[in-house]
Amino acid sequence: MIELRRDTVDTAPVVELGQGVLQLLRETLQPAPEGTWWFYGVQGGRQTIPMRHTER
């Protein structure tokens, strides 16, 4: 956590995003469950979001 005068900023989502990027670069990032993408940098930790299928 970082305190900025009267506000507090939770740095955990930023740290988790950085760790995810490192895992991606090192090719150690686990695949997301089928039909989803990983979503980092949010309160509560890594989540998944559904893939959107578009017609072209």
Side-chain angles (χ1 to χ4, degrees):
M1 290 238 185
I2 297 175
E3 288 190 35
L4 305 170
R5 296 189 182 177
R6 296 181 190 143
D7 296 327
T8 301
V9 177
D10 183 8
T11 57
V14 177
V15 171
E16 185 178 48
L17 174 60
Q19 291 171 340
V21 170
L22 285 175
Q23 289 175 356
L24 180 64
L25 294 172
R26 294 177 179 156
E27 298 181 359
T28 59
L29 181 65
Q30 296 177 347
E34 189 172 332
T36 65
W37 299 105
W38 287 126
F39 185 47
Y40 282 89
V42 294
Q43 291 286 46
R46 176 179 72 177
Q47 300 175 11
T48 58
I49 55 174
M51 292 180 180
R52 292 173 52 188
H53 300 284
T54 58
E55 298 288 326
R56 289 187 183 213

